[in-house]
Amino acid sequence: MRRLRLAAIVLLAAVAAASSAVWAAPPGQADGPVVHRITVDGVIGPATARFILRAVREADPAGVEALIIQMDTPGGLMRSMDEITKAILNARVPVVVYVAPHGARAASAGVFIAYAAHIAAMAPATRIGAATPIALGTRDEDEKEPDKAAIEKAINDAVANLRAMARRRGRNAEWAEKAVRQASSITEEEAVRERVVDLLASDVHDLLRKIDGRTVETDLGPKKLRTAGVRVLDRGMDLTERFLFTLSDPNVGFILMNIGILGIMVELYNPGAILPGVVGGIALILGMASFAIVQVNVAGLLLIAFAILLFIADLKVPGHGVLTAGGVIAFIIGAVLLTEHQAPFLQISLRLILTVAALLAAFFLFAVGAGIRAQRAGPRSGQERLTDATGIARSRLDPEGEVHVQGEMWSAISVAGPIEAGQRVRVVGLDGLRLQVRPDTDPMG
């Protein structure tokens, strides 16, 4: 026991020493100056916001020269974008937004993030713009307010936000308003010429060379960048952020929701299976969580629920597949409506909708077909299976003996006089485990 205590103390001391070493020598101090780089590729959502906020928060105690956000995004949710821009505007470490690689874009929410950065740069063959907030997944809190008024409020708020950031960073406020009101987009060369971004850079090392010596205003005051020749340390999403990022894809949420529905239905039709119910319940909850991130149309959800009811009804009522066909139509319309008010990159793929609908239709039609065949098929067990069956007498029945019926030997009793061995017999009933037979006079028996 004493040895165990000693071992535990030594282990705790080792962990404490390791932790102290980590905090005492954060990245960027032990091996010379560094910059942190994170890559944002895809929709701006809660996972992306959490990732960027963590990177900004950890960059200050690490003592890095700058944080580079390499970005390629079609846009995202306004709430997440607001969290990101607020963190960048109040960052103690210079934040550089770099639209890259070649062919990348900073659209919608990406424009706001670029305007908030201390330095904004773009790679060749990239573009920026189309910041109209209609596609940012917002919904006016006052449900009774007309849509046009709600959209106008969102546009005016977005314009004011971008103009404020443009004044603070010395960028083009007029073009920012055009990007919001007219969905204007421009190339990287036009962006530099219009003072939307600060410079062009062919790669990260070219970027670091070009921003070296620049002075930017951080939350702690002016800071002169010394980035020539510094190391670039890439920081990635942690496990939780990667999970949330995957979950924020409406296509993933749609798949999870359908897995959940099927799993629960299998459990209801096979009580005690447990695994389908557990998997289905988890998948359904995760699917609902995904759609909570991306606001969905309630009418779409109701249509999908109605489609499932039609599928179940076709299993109970002999509708010969008509209800399943109606369920497929309701399912497709509901899935399309589910994210209709979102931007295209936040909508469920039509191909995925049709594929899932076809699989559901095939599954339920197979189940319905199997049920109809089972109803039409004759009995395969019990007294009904044996009644009217024919066989051969293996011994004389006067009145008792043995007969061979349907591949098995049975004790039998004749109800129509003696029956000789080898004579064909027909079952007319059961008396417990004993067959009641008579001579078979049907030549086709």
Side-chain angles (χ1 to χ4, degrees), residues 271-308:
I274 299 177
L275 181 60
V278 172
V279 173
I282 294 174
L284 187 61
I285 292 172
L286 290 177
M288 293 297 101
S290 177
F291 288 135
I293 293 173
V294 181
Q295 293 179 351
V296 296
N297 190 330
V298 176
L301 279 177
L302 292 177
L303 275 172
I304 291 176
F306 180 64
I308 300 302

Side-chain angles (χ1 to χ4, degrees), residues 296-373:
V296 296
N297 190 330
V298 176
L301 279 177
L302 292 177
L303 275 172
I304 291 176
F306 180 64
I308 300 302
L309 290 177
L310 290 178
F311 292 149
I312 296 173
D314 212 358
L315 295 175
K316 299 291 187 182
V317 180
H320 304 287
V322 175
L323 294 177
T324 294
V328 170
I329 295 173
F331 181 86
I332 293 174
I333 297 175
V336 171
L337 291 177
L338 203 59
T339 54
E340 67 163 344
H341 297 306
Q342 301 293 335
F345 52 83
L346 290 174
Q347 292 179 353
I348 301 171
S349 166
L350 181 59
R351 182 179 300 177
L352 175 62
I353 292 172
L354 295 177
T355 300
V356 173
L359 291 174
L360 284 174
F363 171 78
F364 282 100
L365 285 175
F366 173 78
V368 170
I372 293 174
R373 288 193 297 271

Side-chain angles (χ1 to χ4, degrees), residues 52-64:
I52 295 177
L53 265 60
R54 180 172 62 86
V56 172
R57 185 174 61 252
E58 293 178 352
D60 181 36
V64 301

Side-chain angles (χ1 to χ4, degrees), residues 133-340:
I134 297 174
L136 289 180
T138 59
R139 179 180 296 174
D140 195 270
E141 293 179 359
D142 186 0
E143 296 292 341
K144 296 181 180 179
E145 186 173 7
D147 290 342
K148 290 184 179 179
I151 292 172
E152 187 65 26
K153 279 179 58 178
I155 290 176
N156 291 336
D157 182 69
V159 168
N161 189 13
L162 266 182
R163 278 188 166 276
M165 290 189 289
R167 285 195 299 271
R168 180 165 183 178
R169 301 303 189 201
R171 300 199 173 97
N172 190 331
E174 285 69 27
W175 181 87
E177 183 166 352
K178 286 177 60 179
V180 175
R181 296 192 183 279
Q182 303 174 23
S184 176
S185 293
I186 53 178
T187 65
E188 78 285 359
E189 292 180 352
E190 294 171 323
V192 173
R193 188 166 58 249
E194 295 287 339
R195 294 184 300 106
V196 173
V197 299
D198 302 299
L199 56 97
L200 298 180
S202 57
D203 55 31
V204 170
H205 298 291
D206 184 37
L207 172 65
L208 293 174
R209 181 178 58 80
K210 288 182 176 180
I211 66 175
D212 182 56
R214 292 196 179 210
T215 300
V216 297
E217 189 72 27
T218 70
D219 196 48
L220 295 177
K223 177 177 175 59
K224 186 174 183 179
L225 293 170
R226 302 185 182 278
T227 55
V230 299
R231 284 192 310 121
V232 178
L233 182 62
D234 287 311
R235 309 298 298 273
M237 285 186 171
D238 61 25
L239 186 62
T240 303
E241 291 159 352
R242 287 197 296 270
F243 174 74
L244 290 175
F245 184 77
T246 302
L247 196 63
S248 63
D249 186 341
N251 294 293
V252 173
F254 184 67
I255 293 173
L256 287 171
M257 183 183 71
N258 284 282
I259 291 175
I261 291 171
L262 287 176
I264 291 175
M265 289 182 63
V266 170
E267 179 67 30
L268 291 176
Y269 276 92
N270 298 274
I274 299 177
L275 181 60
V278 172
V279 173
I282 294 174
L284 187 61
I285 292 172
L286 290 177
M288 293 297 101
S290 177
F291 288 135
I293 293 173
V294 181
Q295 293 179 351
V296 296
N297 190 330
V298 176
L301 279 177
L302 292 177
L303 275 172
I304 291 176
F306 180 64
I308 300 302
L309 290 177
L310 290 178
F311 292 149
I312 296 173
D314 212 358
L315 295 175
K316 299 291 187 182
V317 180
H320 304 287
V322 175
L323 294 177
T324 294
V328 170
I329 295 173
F331 181 86
I332 293 174
I333 297 175
V336 171
L337 291 177
L338 203 59
T339 54
E340 67 163 344

Side-chain angles (χ1 to χ4, degrees), residues 31 43 70-71 119 126 188 190 192 334 376:
D31 301 314
V43 176
Q70 183 170 312
M71 184 172 64
I119 296 176
T126 56
E188 78 285 359
E190 294 171 323
V192 173
R376 291 178 177 176

